[in-house]
Amino acid sequence: MQETFLCINPDTFIWCKNTAGLIYNSENGQGFRFKKLDVKPVIEALQDLENLYCIPLKDNDLNNEYLKEFILNIIRCQTGKLINQPAGKHKPVNLPPLLNLQSDKKRIEKASPELLGENMLHYLMELTIHLNATTQNTNGYKLKVLIGFLNSLSFSSLKHVRIKSEDILLFTRSGILFSTIKKMPAKKSIYIKINDIRPEFLSANIFSPEGFVLVIRIDNFDDLHKIHQIIKMMEKKKIAAEFEFIIKDEEEYQIAEILVEKYQLTGADIKPVFTGDNLKFFEKNIFLTEEDLQEPRLNRREVFTHQALNTNYFGKLTIMPNGKVYAHPSHPPLGTVEDDIRELIYKEMTQGNSWLYIRDMKPCCDCIYQWLCPSPSDYELAIGKPNLCHIEG
Ligand code: SF4
């Protein structure tokens, strides 16, 4: 006598919400939607952890056309297979993909910032520093505190430091602050808005301070002549500047695309911005559709990451000119540069609103794509809507 088992692969996720279900193979990125009611007993058995992703099929199960189609889809997407074996033999088993419940957040809550010590610093990956004339005043108290704070990051995993300054010259000429940041073992970028580029900058050599990448933010397309002039000047001076195009509609998107193509701008980024009156543009171009989620190509680790933390915000801190430190400037500050960095990170990891801001809110928590959708971003915050999609989960 033979027995037949339906076995799901260990890299396959099964999600059911209300009447809908989704099977997703995180190894090959394939999956399919199904109606839960069509295959209810089988799907419930597969989701029962005790069955370890393998369930026996009855002789007449394959006569059920819904179940037959469901199993054929499982085989087609390589999310699982049928196993025939002699009756009485040990049943096959697989381990469903489960997020380790002893997640970082829970582990950290049990400890304290002092006990966790330097380990907290490993979570810090990106720092944005906003500077103005007050913070850059070389004699100022604030500057000394800021430098002390930056020096305390020497054991962090910092990968990128972004400088956003009202006056780029003031920063590049500010002795100690400039040299402290220059020494930091991370990529360093200086951001400047196109409209803040003054005529004297065009001749000075300030655009290529050694060790820094210059990022030119183009958020205004009124003066196209100036944009062309600046891009050409970067080419002429052989400055590897990066360009960030902040666009609000299709017309600006097309201008940005033409510029990227014409000048072969390899480090260019085109970022839509919500202005309050371009919702239609977002609905048409940014909101997700069912088609966008057909092949999300997320591996197992990336799905777990979506379940645990916000991939847009995690590991990032922002320092404002007044010395306040934020995980995200839209939320209250974590503290100031006078605080211990380890305590600020501990606070965000245990009480914060940004690093661990995941899709666990309605309507996403009732949607089968909850963990395949990108983490919530600034667009959700700006538009004031938790789900930027055209999908009925
Ligand atoms: S944004 Fe939310 S509701 Fe929309 S598809 Fe993603 S998870 Fe579902």
Side-chain angles (χ1 to χ4, degrees):
M1 268 251 304
Q2 292 278 310
E3 266 185 314
T4 304
F5 289 88
L6 173 62
C7 291
I8 302 299
N9 294 338
D11 284 316
T12 293
F13 290 83
I14 301 179
W15 294 296
C16 287
K17 303 282 177 167
N18 304 318
T19 58
L22 180 71
I23 288 207
Y24 175 68
N25 180 343
S26 61
E27 204 182 11
N28 64 10
Q30 291 185 39
F32 64 95
R33 274 188 79 142
F34 60 89
K35 284 189 189 145
K36 189 178 166 190
L37 276 182
D38 292 347
V39 288
K40 198 165 177 248
V42 166
I43 208 73
E44 283 179 354
L46 286 172
Q47 288 195 298
D48 183 342
L49 277 184
E50 288 197 4
N51 288 327
L52 289 167
Y53 254 18
C54 290
I55 55 162
L57 292 180
K58 292 192 231 51
D59 287 343
N60 60 353
D61 275 347
L62 291 177
N63 296 333
N64 176 324
E65 69 177 280
Y66 294 120
L67 188 54
K68 193 170 164 190
E69 196 193 327
F70 178 73
I71 293 173
L72 285 175
N73 278 332
I74 285 181
I75 295 168
R76 178 180 55 81
C77 297
Q78 296 166 25
T79 51
K81 59 185 172 197
L82 291 177
I83 294 180
N84 283 309
Q85 64 177 42
K89 201 178 158 197
H90 280 305
K91 98 184 236 317
V93 294
N94 276 334
L95 208 55
L98 291 172
L99 184 64
N100 181 0
L101 291 176
Q102 185 67 2
S103 66
D104 276 5
K105 183 179 179 189
K106 293 197 170 81
R107 193 166 46 78
I108 287 165
E109 271 169 355
K110 284 189 195 146
S112 66
E114 297 77 41
L115 277 177
L116 292 162
E118 306 300 334
N119 286 340
M120 294 308 294
L121 285 175
H122 293 313
Y123 294 109
L124 179 62
M125 284 175 275
E126 281 190 32
L127 187 65
T128 301
I129 310 172
H130 290 264
L131 300 170
N132 64 11
T134 318
T135 41
Q136 292 177 108
N137 174 353
T138 45
N139 299 316
Y141 160 74
K142 278 192 178 136
L143 180 69
K144 287 187 195 130
V145 180
L146 174 61
I147 287 173
F149 184 83
L150 296 177
N151 284 332
S152 75
L153 307 180
S154 39
F155 294 106
S156 72
S157 301
L158 210 52
K159 303 231 172 347
H160 197 168
V161 181
R162 294 186 165 87
I163 309 298
K164 300 196 174 175
S165 173
E166 281 178 351
D167 187 337
I168 181 176
L169 277 183
L170 208 52
F171 170 65
T172 54
R173 290 175 186 161
S174 70
I176 184 158
L177 180 59
F178 180 75
S179 59
T180 302
I181 294 176
K182 192 177 168 188
K183 276 199 311 250
M184 295 173 88
K187 177 181 176 185
K188 293 161 285 269
S189 307
I190 299 178
Y191 284 68
I192 184 166
K193 287 189 189 171
I194 189 131
N195 285 349
D196 288 340
I197 298 180
R198 301 200 298 267
E200 66 264 31
F201 290 8
L202 300 182
S203 56
N205 208 20
I206 56 128
F207 273 133
S208 55
E210 200 193 325
F212 287 81
V213 173
L214 183 76
V215 183
I216 299 179
R217 209 161 199 252
I218 299 171
D219 56 356
N220 185 327
F221 294 81
D222 292 344
D223 190 349
L224 269 178
H225 174 71
K226 184 175 181 179
I227 298 175
H228 282 278
Q229 192 191 10
I230 286 172
I231 297 176
K232 281 183 193 158
M233 190 194 71
M234 295 296 137
E235 274 187 343
K236 196 169 155 208
K237 287 182 170 260
K238 299 202 179 340
I239 296 170
E242 293 178 1
F243 290 84
E244 204 178 75
F245 296 93
I246 309 298
I247 54 122
K248 56 183 183 301
D249 52 34
E250 267 113 1
E251 194 188 334
E252 291 187 349
Y253 175 75
Q254 273 159 16
I255 297 173
E257 268 218 321
I258 290 169
L259 289 167
V260 171
E261 187 137 326
K262 179 174 164 67
Y263 294 105
Q264 297 288 300
L265 303 175
T266 44
D269 212 357
I270 302 178
K271 288 187 177 167
V273 63
F274 181 64
T275 58
D277 54 15
N278 59 349
L279 185 59
K280 289 247 165 337
F281 169 71
F282 271 75
E283 285 175 346
K284 188 171 163 207
N285 300 289
I286 310 294
F287 278 36
L288 289 168
T289 63
E290 191 101 33
E291 211 184 333
D292 296 326
L293 291 163
Q294 284 317 298
E295 288 197 19
R297 301 258 162 232
L298 293 184
N299 63 31
R300 178 186 168 106
R301 193 160 170 251
E302 288 163 332
V303 174
F304 284 150
T305 304
H306 281 177
Q307 293 178 338
L309 55 89
N310 186 302
T311 54
N312 296 309
Y313 303 141
F314 191 84
K316 298 181 184 174
L317 289 181
T318 299
I319 303 175
M320 288 308 205
N322 60 8
K324 288 189 175 161
V325 181
Y326 297 80
H328 191 289
S330 296
H331 297 300
L334 296 169
T336 74
V337 286
E338 292 181 56
D339 295 314
D340 186 327
I341 176 69
R342 293 166 302 181
E343 282 177 18
L344 299 181
I345 294 173
Y346 180 84
K347 193 169 172 190
E348 179 57 25
M349 288 291 283
T350 52
Q351 307 160 32
N353 301 309
S354 304
W355 288 16
L356 307 180
Y357 173 39
I358 54 173
R359 290 203 179 275
D360 56 356
M361 76 300 272
K362 276 191 179 290
C364 300
C365 61
D366 296 325
C367 172
I368 48 170
Y369 297 112
Q370 182 182 19
W371 306 124
L372 292 184
C373 266
S375 293
S377 68
D378 282 359
Y379 296 139
E380 279 87 344
L381 289 175
I383 294 171
K385 193 173 181 295
N387 61 318
L388 305 187
C389 69
H390 299 291
I391 293 166
E392 297 283 326

mmCIF file of all heavy atoms in Angstrom, residues 17-46:
data_model
loop_
_atom_site.group_PDB
_atom_site.id
_atom_site.type_symbol
_atom_site.label_atom_id
_atom_site.label_comp_id
_atom_site.label_asym_id
_atom_site.label_seq_id
_atom_site.Cartn_x
_atom_site.Cartn_y
_atom_site.Cartn_z
ATOM 1 N N LYS A 17 -5.682 35.475 4.621
ATOM 2 C CA LYS A 17 -6.364 36.601 5.270
ATOM 3 C C LYS A 17 -7.803 36.565 4.800
ATOM 4 O O LYS A 17 -8.055 36.599 3.576
ATOM 5 C CB LYS A 17 -5.742 37.947 4.863
ATOM 6 C CG LYS A 17 -4.260 38.060 5.144
ATOM 7 C CD LYS A 17 -3.970 38.347 6.597
ATOM 8 C CE LYS A 17 -2.469 38.384 6.808
ATOM 9 N NZ LYS A 17 -2.076 38.934 8.070
ATOM 10 N N ASN A 18 -8.723 36.521 5.728
ATOM 11 C CA ASN A 18 -10.151 36.425 5.401
ATOM 12 C C ASN A 18 -10.375 35.294 4.401
ATOM 13 O O ASN A 18 -10.075 34.159 4.687
ATOM 14 C CB ASN A 18 -10.680 37.767 4.882
ATOM 15 C CG ASN A 18 -10.408 38.866 5.900
ATOM 16 O OD1 ASN A 18 -10.580 38.657 7.098
ATOM 17 N ND2 ASN A 18 -9.949 40.010 5.434
ATOM 18 N N THR A 19 -10.816 35.629 3.182
ATOM 19 C CA THR A 19 -11.139 34.560 2.222
ATOM 20 C C THR A 19 -10.022 34.308 1.218
ATOM 21 O O THR A 19 -10.103 33.406 0.405
ATOM 22 C CB THR A 19 -12.412 34.925 1.436
ATOM 23 O OG1 THR A 19 -12.166 36.174 0.794
ATOM 24 C CG2 THR A 19 -13.621 35.030 2.337
ATOM 25 N N ALA A 20 -8.958 35.160 1.270
ATOM 26 C CA ALA A 20 -7.900 35.040 0.259
ATOM 27 C C ALA A 20 -6.669 34.350 0.826
ATOM 28 O O ALA A 20 -6.407 34.399 2.031
ATOM 29 C CB ALA A 20 -7.526 36.421 -0.260
ATOM 30 N N GLY A 21 -5.903 33.729 -0.062
ATOM 31 C CA GLY A 21 -4.655 33.087 0.359
ATOM 32 C C GLY A 21 -3.569 33.328 -0.673
ATOM 33 O O GLY A 21 -3.847 33.618 -1.842
ATOM 34 N N LEU A 22 -2.328 33.221 -0.216
ATOM 35 C CA LEU A 22 -1.191 33.403 -1.125
ATOM 36 C C LEU A 22 -0.106 32.404 -0.736
ATOM 37 O O LEU A 22 0.204 32.251 0.441
ATOM 38 C CB LEU A 22 -0.646 34.832 -0.997
ATOM 39 C CG LEU A 22 0.544 35.189 -1.871
ATOM 40 C CD1 LEU A 22 0.134 35.308 -3.340
ATOM 41 C CD2 LEU A 22 1.166 36.510 -1.433
ATOM 42 N N ILE A 23 0.405 31.729 -1.745
ATOM 43 C CA ILE A 23 1.559 30.842 -1.523
ATOM 44 C C ILE A 23 2.726 31.472 -2.246
ATOM 45 O O ILE A 23 2.604 31.865 -3.418
ATOM 46 C CB ILE A 23 1.275 29.431 -2.076
ATOM 47 C CG1 ILE A 23 0.261 28.749 -1.165
ATOM 48 C CG2 ILE A 23 2.554 28.626 -2.178
ATOM 49 C CD1 ILE A 23 0.335 27.247 -1.161
ATOM 50 N N TYR A 24 3.860 31.619 -1.549
ATOM 51 C CA TYR A 24 4.996 32.313 -2.158
ATOM 52 C C TYR A 24 6.287 31.546 -1.899
ATOM 53 O O TYR A 24 6.644 31.291 -0.739
ATOM 54 C CB TYR A 24 5.094 33.739 -1.589
ATOM 55 C CG TYR A 24 6.309 34.474 -2.079
ATOM 56 C CD1 TYR A 24 6.425 34.845 -3.417
ATOM 57 C CD2 TYR A 24 7.373 34.773 -1.227
ATOM 58 C CE1 TYR A 24 7.552 35.490 -3.895
ATOM 59 C CE2 TYR A 24 8.498 35.427 -1.686
ATOM 60 C CZ TYR A 24 8.578 35.779 -3.025
ATOM 61 O OH TYR A 24 9.690 36.422 -3.497
ATOM 62 N N ASN A 25 6.947 31.194 -2.978
ATOM 63 C CA ASN A 25 8.230 30.486 -2.871
ATOM 64 C C ASN A 25 9.359 31.521 -2.866
ATOM 65 O O ASN A 25 9.640 32.156 -3.888
ATOM 66 C CB ASN A 25 8.367 29.535 -4.074
ATOM 67 C CG ASN A 25 9.673 28.767 -4.053
ATOM 68 O OD1 ASN A 25 10.611 29.140 -3.347
ATOM 69 N ND2 ASN A 25 9.747 27.714 -4.830
ATOM 70 N N SER A 26 9.985 31.694 -1.708
ATOM 71 C CA SER A 26 11.009 32.749 -1.588
ATOM 72 C C SER A 26 12.337 32.322 -2.210
ATOM 73 O O SER A 26 13.280 33.103 -2.245
ATOM 74 C CB SER A 26 11.214 33.135 -0.122
ATOM 75 O OG SER A 26 11.666 32.028 0.615
ATOM 76 N N GLU A 27 12.399 31.089 -2.707
ATOM 77 C CA GLU A 27 13.642 30.656 -3.346
ATOM 78 C C GLU A 27 13.664 31.051 -4.817
ATOM 79 O O GLU A 27 14.675 31.532 -5.328
ATOM 80 C CB GLU A 27 13.805 29.147 -3.205
ATOM 81 C CG GLU A 27 15.260 28.746 -3.304
ATOM 82 C CD GLU A 27 15.443 27.248 -3.218
ATOM 83 O OE1 GLU A 27 14.452 26.507 -3.281
ATOM 84 O OE2 GLU A 27 16.606 26.833 -3.095
ATOM 85 N N ASN A 28 12.490 30.892 -5.491
ATOM 86 C CA ASN A 28 12.472 31.267 -6.911
ATOM 87 C C ASN A 28 11.580 32.477 -7.192
ATOM 88 O O ASN A 28 11.423 32.886 -8.336
ATOM 89 C CB ASN A 28 12.047 30.077 -7.783
ATOM 90 C CG ASN A 28 10.609 29.638 -7.488
ATOM 91 O OD1 ASN A 28 9.878 30.321 -6.772
ATOM 92 N ND2 ASN A 28 10.207 28.506 -8.032
ATOM 93 N N GLY A 29 10.982 33.046 -6.137
ATOM 94 C CA GLY A 29 10.177 34.261 -6.306
ATOM 95 C C GLY A 29 8.807 34.011 -6.939
ATOM 96 O O GLY A 29 8.104 34.961 -7.287
ATOM 97 N N GLN A 30 8.387 32.747 -7.092
ATOM 98 C CA GLN A 30 7.091 32.476 -7.719
ATOM 99 C C GLN A 30 6.027 32.183 -6.662
ATOM 100 O O GLN A 30 6.340 31.750 -5.554
ATOM 101 C CB GLN A 30 7.210 31.278 -8.646
ATOM 102 C CG GLN A 30 8.051 31.563 -9.862
ATOM 103 C CD GLN A 30 8.040 30.370 -10.801
ATOM 104 O OE1 GLN A 30 7.027 29.707 -10.987
ATOM 105 N NE2 GLN A 30 9.184 30.081 -11.373
ATOM 106 N N GLY A 31 4.778 32.402 -7.053
ATOM 107 C CA GLY A 31 3.694 32.109 -6.126
ATOM 108 C C GLY A 31 2.362 32.269 -6.820
ATOM 109 O O GLY A 31 2.306 32.581 -8.000
ATOM 110 N N PHE A 32 1.306 32.071 -6.084
ATOM 111 C CA PHE A 32 -0.026 32.252 -6.683
ATOM 112 C C PHE A 32 -1.056 32.531 -5.590
ATOM 113 O O PHE A 32 -0.877 32.163 -4.432
ATOM 114 C CB PHE A 32 -0.420 31.018 -7.517
ATOM 115 C CG PHE A 32 -0.579 29.753 -6.715
ATOM 116 C CD1 PHE A 32 -1.840 29.354 -6.248
ATOM 117 C CD2 PHE A 32 0.525 28.962 -6.422
ATOM 118 C CE1 PHE A 32 -1.974 28.185 -5.506
ATOM 119 C CE2 PHE A 32 0.394 27.798 -5.679
ATOM 120 C CZ PHE A 32 -0.855 27.411 -5.213
ATOM 121 N N ARG A 33 -2.109 33.213 -6.020
ATOM 122 C CA ARG A 33 -3.236 33.507 -5.120
ATOM 123 C C ARG A 33 -4.230 32.354 -5.184
ATOM 124 O O ARG A 33 -4.332 31.694 -6.213
ATOM 125 C CB ARG A 33 -3.974 34.750 -5.616
ATOM 126 C CG ARG A 33 -3.419 36.058 -5.151
ATOM 127 C CD ARG A 33 -4.369 37.173 -5.548
ATOM 128 N NE ARG A 33 -5.494 37.224 -4.613
ATOM 129 C CZ ARG A 33 -6.050 38.339 -4.192
ATOM 130 N NH1 ARG A 33 -5.618 39.503 -4.642
ATOM 131 N NH2 ARG A 33 -7.052 38.327 -3.347
ATOM 132 N N PHE A 34 -4.963 32.165 -4.133
ATOM 133 C CA PHE A 34 -6.034 31.154 -4.189
ATOM 134 C C PHE A 34 -7.172 31.604 -3.276
ATOM 135 O O PHE A 34 -7.001 32.502 -2.443
ATOM 136 C CB PHE A 34 -5.503 29.769 -3.774
ATOM 137 C CG PHE A 34 -4.939 29.721 -2.384
ATOM 138 C CD1 PHE A 34 -5.735 29.443 -1.285
ATOM 139 C CD2 PHE A 34 -3.574 29.973 -2.162
ATOM 140 C CE1 PHE A 34 -5.206 29.405 -0.010
ATOM 141 C CE2 PHE A 34 -3.044 29.935 -0.889
ATOM 142 C CZ PHE A 34 -3.857 29.651 0.194
ATOM 143 N N LYS A 35 -8.338 30.963 -3.500
ATOM 144 C CA LYS A 35 -9.474 31.259 -2.620
ATOM 145 C C LYS A 35 -9.454 30.252 -1.491
ATOM 146 O O LYS A 35 -9.511 29.039 -1.733
ATOM 147 C CB LYS A 35 -10.786 31.127 -3.402
ATOM 148 C CG LYS A 35 -11.041 32.296 -4.311
ATOM 149 C CD LYS A 35 -12.453 32.189 -4.869
ATOM 150 C CE LYS A 35 -12.647 33.222 -5.947
ATOM 151 N NZ LYS A 35 -13.497 32.772 -7.035
ATOM 152 N N LYS A 36 -9.386 30.765 -0.273
ATOM 153 C CA LYS A 36 -9.209 29.878 0.881
ATOM 154 C C LYS A 36 -10.339 28.844 0.975
ATOM 155 O O LYS A 36 -10.098 27.675 1.276
ATOM 156 C CB LYS A 36 -9.143 30.727 2.154
ATOM 157 C CG LYS A 36 -8.754 29.932 3.369
ATOM 158 C CD LYS A 36 -8.657 30.808 4.587
ATOM 159 C CE LYS A 36 -8.602 29.944 5.841
ATOM 160 N NZ LYS A 36 -8.733 30.738 7.048
ATOM 161 N N LEU A 37 -11.564 29.299 0.690
ATOM 162 C CA LEU A 37 -12.701 28.390 0.859
ATOM 163 C C LEU A 37 -12.605 27.166 -0.045
ATOM 164 O O LEU A 37 -13.065 26.087 0.310
ATOM 165 C CB LEU A 37 -14.006 29.142 0.562
ATOM 166 C CG LEU A 37 -14.577 29.943 1.730
ATOM 167 C CD1 LEU A 37 -15.885 30.599 1.326
ATOM 168 C CD2 LEU A 37 -14.765 29.041 2.959
ATOM 169 N N ASP A 38 -11.963 27.326 -1.213
ATOM 170 C CA ASP A 38 -11.867 26.211 -2.171
ATOM 171 C C ASP A 38 -11.041 25.049 -1.621
ATOM 172 O O ASP A 38 -11.243 23.906 -2.031
ATOM 173 C CB ASP A 38 -11.197 26.677 -3.485
ATOM 174 C CG ASP A 38 -12.087 27.643 -4.250
ATOM 175 O OD1 ASP A 38 -13.278 27.734 -3.896
ATOM 176 O OD2 ASP A 38 -11.589 28.282 -5.192
ATOM 177 N N VAL A 39 -10.070 25.386 -0.761
ATOM 178 C CA VAL A 39 -9.134 24.341 -0.290
ATOM 179 C C VAL A 39 -8.963 24.398 1.234
ATOM 180 O O VAL A 39 -7.911 24.083 1.762
ATOM 181 C CB VAL A 39 -7.756 24.504 -0.993
ATOM 182 C CG1 VAL A 39 -7.830 24.091 -2.434
ATOM 183 C CG2 VAL A 39 -7.216 25.924 -0.878
ATOM 184 N N LYS A 40 -10.035 24.821 1.912
ATOM 185 C CA LYS A 40 -9.943 25.133 3.343
ATOM 186 C C LYS A 40 -9.318 24.025 4.203
ATOM 187 O O LYS A 40 -8.334 24.282 4.922
ATOM 188 C CB LYS A 40 -11.331 25.500 3.872
ATOM 189 C CG LYS A 40 -11.312 26.230 5.183
ATOM 190 C CD LYS A 40 -12.653 26.878 5.447
ATOM 191 C CE LYS A 40 -12.633 27.547 6.788
ATOM 192 N NZ LYS A 40 -13.484 26.927 7.763
ATOM 193 N N PRO A 41 -9.810 22.777 4.152
ATOM 194 C CA PRO A 41 -9.250 21.759 5.063
ATOM 195 C C PRO A 41 -7.760 21.529 4.817
ATOM 196 O O PRO A 41 -6.988 21.390 5.765
ATOM 197 C CB PRO A 41 -10.053 20.487 4.742
ATOM 198 C CG PRO A 41 -11.232 20.942 3.953
ATOM 199 C CD PRO A 41 -10.879 22.225 3.300
ATOM 200 N N VAL A 42 -7.368 21.525 3.545
ATOM 201 C CA VAL A 42 -5.959 21.269 3.223
ATOM 202 C C VAL A 42 -5.084 22.421 3.685
ATOM 203 O O VAL A 42 -4.023 22.218 4.308
ATOM 204 C CB VAL A 42 -5.806 21.022 1.694
ATOM 205 C CG1 VAL A 42 -4.361 21.097 1.270
ATOM 206 C CG2 VAL A 42 -6.378 19.667 1.346
ATOM 207 N N ILE A 43 -5.521 23.641 3.442
ATOM 208 C CA ILE A 43 -4.679 24.791 3.805
ATOM 209 C C ILE A 43 -4.580 24.904 5.329
ATOM 210 O O ILE A 43 -3.521 25.241 5.872
ATOM 211 C CB ILE A 43 -5.190 26.089 3.128
ATOM 212 C CG1 ILE A 43 -4.025 27.043 2.912
ATOM 213 C CG2 ILE A 43 -6.251 26.832 3.890
ATOM 214 C CD1 ILE A 43 -3.107 26.656 1.841
ATOM 215 N N GLU A 44 -5.665 24.612 6.023
ATOM 216 C CA GLU A 44 -5.611 24.673 7.498
ATOM 217 C C GLU A 44 -4.664 23.614 8.045
ATOM 218 O O GLU A 44 -3.927 23.854 8.986
ATOM 219 C CB GLU A 44 -7.016 24.552 8.094
ATOM 220 C CG GLU A 44 -7.760 25.868 7.960
ATOM 221 C CD GLU A 44 -9.183 25.825 8.500
ATOM 222 O OE1 GLU A 44 -9.657 24.724 8.885
ATOM 223 O OE2 GLU A 44 -9.819 26.884 8.526
ATOM 224 N N ALA A 45 -4.681 22.456 7.406
ATOM 225 C CA ALA A 45 -3.773 21.383 7.859
ATOM 226 C C ALA A 45 -2.320 21.776 7.585
ATOM 227 O O ALA A 45 -1.438 21.545 8.415
ATOM 228 C CB ALA A 45 -4.115 20.079 7.146
ATOM 229 N N LEU A 46 -2.081 22.408 6.427
ATOM 230 C CA LEU A 46 -0.700 22.817 6.110
ATOM 231 C C LEU A 46 -0.220 23.908 7.067
ATOM 232 O O LEU A 46 0.964 24.008 7.386
ATOM 233 C CB LEU A 46 -0.604 23.322 4.663
ATOM 234 C CG LEU A 46 -0.666 22.245 3.576
ATOM 235 C CD1 LEU A 46 -0.765 22.875 2.193
ATOM 236 C CD2 LEU A 46 0.553 21.324 3.643
#
